[in-house]
Amino acid sequence: MKILLVGSGAREHALAWKLRQSPLCTELFIAPGNPGMAQFGRCVDIRGDAIADLTRFAVDNAMDLVVIGPEDPLALGLVDALAAKKIRSFGPSLAGAQLEADKTFSKKMMREALIPSAEGRSFKSMRDAITYVESRNDAMVVKAAGLARGKGVVICKDPVEALDAVRNIMEKKVFGAAGSTIVIEEKLEGPELSLLAFIDGHTAYILESAQDHKRIGENDTGPNTGGMGAFSPAPRMTDELSRKAESEIIVPLLDALARHEIDYRGVIYAGLMLTPAGPKTLEFNCRFGDPEAQVLMMRLKSDLVEAMIACIDRKLDQVTLEWDQRHAVCVVLASAGYGWESDDKVVKGIPIEGVQEAAAMRDVMVFHGGTAMRDGQLVTNGGRVLSVCALGDSLTDAREKAYAAVGKISFKGMQFRRDIGGNAG
Ligand code: AMP
Ligand code: GLY
């Protein structure tokens, strides 16, 4: 099978590693990929948002399967464009991707399916949003409705902060076009968990549990990021909670998608908050989490290609996934300024040392995110540079191995959290 993987982050590096292990995969192409992935396949210089170019490449090179890592190509309709050319892909159609790309739509689906979530309202007019905020006197969460790379959410402790957030998003357009519509929600409290499931349109298969650390700073301080680390399993995801989440969130979502005639085949990621009133859904994502995928791929023993094909062929009910019973931890190494500044402002081109030494350690994988090769030297090329992952017999063991590997790697300005997996219980 010739497979094209779309994406260039550490999530895609982890997917490339697993896809390449499948006996079904005869050739792997990655668009655009990164230097870490080059050992598993041929990197093709096409960006993830170049839908027509990706489709042409897939047609011209007779791809049997296209696996889409990030949300942008999904929200831009890559799956639909490929389907029109009879090429199979793993990921939801444009309509399904709206669950992530349009928070107004996502809220509507949650309400309709009676999925527990934060109370919220959606606004297209800044004046209406301001009137609404002024009518309240509690903490609120103001969100850009569109895609904003995990950053379009402002937690506001009172209406004064919420008014600021509304103006920043709608008037100053700090999140660009993503903020032309906003959602204002009640602020929920509690620990967060990620729930991921494969979906074939009818059946859902809940994946092993994983939890990420979204804030840039230790002890969950500072701004939200795409994710600074993750661990799996997440002790908070008990069997009881997993069953509850399946019956109260995933199954009603499947029904709602069917009612709307949305053909969703791929992975769904529900961001949950464990509130005193039970688990509530903060958001849906239409793809694997990054860095959740890294820890899940470390533990997945089954053939990833087979599982993806089962989603596409609606045969998920015939699948049983096998997982490594050990624990996985992923520590993200980020560039100076990441999390505090916009991604395009972080300094790039800084030489990275020690990756090979770290990657040679037992039970360790180093997945590349924002890296590039310049004159034979590995350099930084983005905000989240590397995902250093390790397996261990216990969470503590996995953490120790991951941080021992981190200790081998250095680049100027490197920042990472030292408490990944530390607040698991
Ligand atoms: P989202 O992109 O909607 O998942 O939001 C990103 C992050 O913002 C979440 O992971 C939470 O940490 C936080 N967040 C979002 N919605 C709420 C809410 N209603 N109450 C409290 N925190 C929230
Ligand atoms: N780890 C959070 C995300 O992928 O959205």
Side-chain angles (χ1 to χ4, degrees):
M1 223 180 225
K2 285 165 91 172
I3 303 179
L4 171 64
L5 170 65
V6 178
S8 62
R11 166 183 52 205
E12 286 76 30
H13 189 179
L15 292 175
W17 173 60
K18 282 314 281 186
L19 292 172
R20 204 66 196 89
Q21 285 169 17
S22 168
L24 294 171
C25 176
T26 49
E27 260 182 285
L28 182 63
F29 297 83
I30 308 146
N34 66 37
M37 290 190 235
Q39 62 172 304
F40 300 121
R42 186 151 76 77
C43 294
V44 189
D45 191 16
I46 309 176
R47 285 169 50 118
D49 56 2
I51 303 304
D53 293 345
L54 288 169
T55 308
R56 197 171 313 117
F57 179 87
V59 171
D60 291 350
N61 295 280
M63 290 298 137
D64 300 298
L65 171 66
V66 179
V67 175
I68 300 150
E71 60 275 21
D72 302 85
L74 295 165
L76 289 168
L78 179 56
V79 170
D80 310 66
L82 290 164
K85 301 287 181 193
K86 305 246 174 312
I87 292 179
R88 307 201 299 169
S89 42
F90 178 82
S93 60
L94 190 153
Q98 297 313 302
L99 275 182
E100 173 167 2
D102 180 358
K103 286 193 197 289
T104 304
F105 171 73
S106 175
K107 274 277 36 93
K108 181 173 153 244
M109 293 289 272
M110 289 188 222
R111 252 197 305 272
E112 196 186 299
L114 302 175
I115 293 170
S117 74
E119 286 300 322
R121 285 186 56 180
S122 167
F123 297 92
K124 275 191 181 354
S125 136
M126 187 166 84
R127 190 161 342 139
D128 292 349
I130 287 174
T131 307
Y132 177 71
V133 169
E134 285 174 343
S135 74
R136 297 182 52 157
N137 59 3
D138 50 352
M140 277 167 266
V141 180
V142 183
K143 303 181 175 187
L147 291 179
R149 299 184 189 287
K151 295 213 174 125
V153 173
V154 190
I155 315 268
C156 310
K157 70 172 187 308
D158 54 32
V160 176
E161 282 189 14
L163 285 176
D164 243 16
V166 169
R167 291 206 175 90
N168 281 336
I169 299 176
M170 298 191 95
E171 202 169 57
K172 295 194 190 144
K173 304 199 187 312
V174 291
F175 303 125
S180 56
T181 301
I182 60 169
V183 172
I184 303 180
E185 289 182 357
E186 64 170 327
K187 180 173 179 290
L188 300 175
E189 302 284 351
E192 287 184 51
L193 265 183
S194 309
L195 178 81
L196 286 95
F198 281 139
I199 289 189
D200 72 358
H202 302 299
T203 308
Y205 192 110
I206 309 283
L207 307 188
E208 282 290 280
S209 60
Q211 188 172 330
D212 79 343
H213 297 260
K214 288 213 168 70
R215 304 292 195 95
I216 185 76
E218 277 153 31
N219 301 314
D220 294 330
T221 51
N224 262 334
T225 69
M228 291 300 290
F231 54 95
S232 172
R236 281 198 184 103
M237 184 62 85
T238 57
D239 288 346
E240 189 197 342
L241 179 58
S242 172
R243 275 194 297 276
K244 197 172 163 73
E246 180 167 12
S247 64
E248 291 184 3
I249 298 168
I250 302 296
V251 173
L253 176 69
L254 276 175
D255 292 344
L257 287 167
R259 274 196 303 278
H260 285 258
E261 295 182 0
I262 294 174
D263 184 16
Y264 197 113
R265 286 176 281 170
V267 67
I268 185 89
Y269 160 157
L272 308 184
M273 192 166 259
L274 308 183
T275 76
K280 296 199 178 186
T281 305
L282 295 177
E283 62 165 346
F284 286 119
N285 295 315
C286 59
R287 37 124 191 128
F288 285 105
D290 181 346
E292 289 92 329
Q294 288 86 310
V295 283
L296 289 174
M297 291 307 119
M298 289 295 283
R299 295 190 54 216
L300 181 67
K301 286 175 132 179
S302 302
D303 186 327
L304 180 62
V305 177
E306 254 178 39
M308 289 179 162
I309 297 287
C311 287
I312 297 169
D313 290 346
R314 301 190 197 287
K315 290 193 174 142
L316 208 43
D317 55 350
Q318 296 169 24
V319 165
T320 307
L321 298 178
E322 250 194 89
W323 301 91
D324 195 318
Q325 290 309 304
R326 287 178 293 170
H327 296 247
V329 165
C330 168
V331 180
V332 171
L333 306 183
S335 295
Y338 174 72
W340 300 96
E341 300 183 31
S342 66
D343 284 9
D344 46 340
K345 285 215 183 108
V346 301
V347 188
K348 295 179 183 170
I350 312 257
I352 309 171
E353 306 300 338
V355 170
Q356 275 184 352
E357 219 183 322
M361 292 170 77
R362 227 178 99 211
D363 298 327
V364 169
M365 288 295 297
V366 180
F367 297 119
H368 291 223
T371 67
M373 280 308 256
R374 198 161 297 162
D375 305 324
Q377 164 73 47
L378 188 69
V379 297
T380 64
N381 194 36
R384 290 189 291 173
V385 178
L386 295 164
S387 279
V388 181
C389 302
L391 283 167
D393 290 331
S394 62
L395 181 59
T396 310
D397 185 31
R399 285 187 67 189
E400 279 169 7
K401 282 180 178 161
Y403 280 108
V406 167
K408 307 270 183 214
I409 301 174
S410 62
F411 56 86
K412 199 167 138 242
M414 175 170 113
Q415 51 165 343
F416 61 94
R417 283 180 57 165
R418 289 172 174 76
D419 63 347
I420 302 303
N423 65 348

